[in-house]
Amino acid sequence: ELWQSAFAVLAVAANQEDAPKGTPQVLNEAFLSAANEARQKLPKLTSNQEVARLYRHSLKTLASWAVDREVINEEATKIRARFDAARGCAPAKAARLLQEGKDELFDSTHPDPYCVPFMPGGSLFMRNPPPPLSVCFPDGNYPEDAPTYTVNPDMSVCKPETGKSAIGSVLVDFTKKNME
């Protein structure tokens, strides 16, 4: 039902006849509204969790830029030293440093980041997804050892507390190579 309404909005936007000839049609508002309906709400993070995510994302960005393991290890040591130097600072300074770190990470983001082959954007993404139990056992008699969990498109187990739950709809953004 959600996708039908999104396609209806897109069809109406695509049939705009008041746009001058030769002007590209912009469907950003329609796409954004459909994406916002499908996007899941992220959990609120503590400042320690945000710093840990910033550190992890900075290492992943580093791995996209460097190929040699020795270079990666040297630069990772420098990044770790920068994070350790700011440890235990005042909350206001920590918030400022966190924002500066996010800005620096955004500026140094690789245009085509490395992604693990089985994640969105990888060559193995959803190559062998597990079939639903209703397909394997059409009569409904599931064996006792059958899995009782659902799997996200990136093959991780669905957990509502992580913000990634395939219950409902999941938006896979191939331009950012992630799942929202």
Side-chain angles (χ1 to χ4, degrees):
E1 183 176 292
L2 169 69
W3 297 110
Q4 291 172 348
S5 62
F7 287 132
V9 169
L10 293 176
V12 169
N15 291 328
Q16 295 174 354
E17 296 176 3
D18 52 343
K21 275 213 178 270
T23 306
Q25 293 182 357
V26 180
L27 302 177
N28 289 344
E29 187 176 326
F31 281 121
L32 285 176
S33 65
N36 286 336
E37 287 185 32
R39 189 171 287 127
Q40 297 180 15
K41 304 296 180 236
L42 296 176
K44 180 69 177 139
L45 301 175
T46 64
S47 62
N48 285 344
Q49 290 173 325
E50 287 187 31
V51 169
R53 283 190 178 190
L54 178 64
Y55 178 68
R56 191 179 79 236
H57 285 296
S58 63
L59 292 179
K60 287 183 178 183
T61 301
L62 173 65
S64 292
W65 284 106
V67 179
D68 188 20
R69 210 51 162 154
E70 290 180 19
V71 173
I72 292 174
N73 289 339
E74 289 173 15
E75 294 299 318
T77 304
K78 292 177 188 176
I79 291 172
R80 181 60 189 224
R82 287 178 63 187
F83 274 85
D84 286 340
R87 178 176 281 191
C89 64
K93 183 179 179 183
R96 182 181 55 82
L97 288 173
L98 185 62
Q99 187 58 45
E100 289 175 3
K102 287 180 180 179
D103 293 340
E104 184 179 341
L105 180 65
F106 179 76
D107 292 339
S108 63
T109 300
H110 197 279
D112 186 23
Y114 172 78
C115 64
V116 181
F118 57 84
M119 296 297 280
S123 60
L124 298 175
F125 177 64
M126 292 298 288
R127 184 171 287 180
N128 296 313
L133 290 177
S134 60
V135 171
C136 297
F137 305 101
D139 57 355
N141 294 330
Y142 304 133
E144 290 185 22
D145 60 344
T148 57
Y149 55 85
T150 55
V151 180
N152 289 315
D154 64 354
M155 300 301 195
S156 62
V157 177
C158 292
K159 295 179 184 174
E161 62 271 6
T162 62
K164 286 173 44 176
S165 178
I167 311 305
S169 60
V170 176
L171 180 67
V172 177
D173 188 353
F174 286 100
T175 59
K176 291 192 246 176
K177 298 183 178 181
N178 69 356
M179 184 179 82
E180 297 178 355

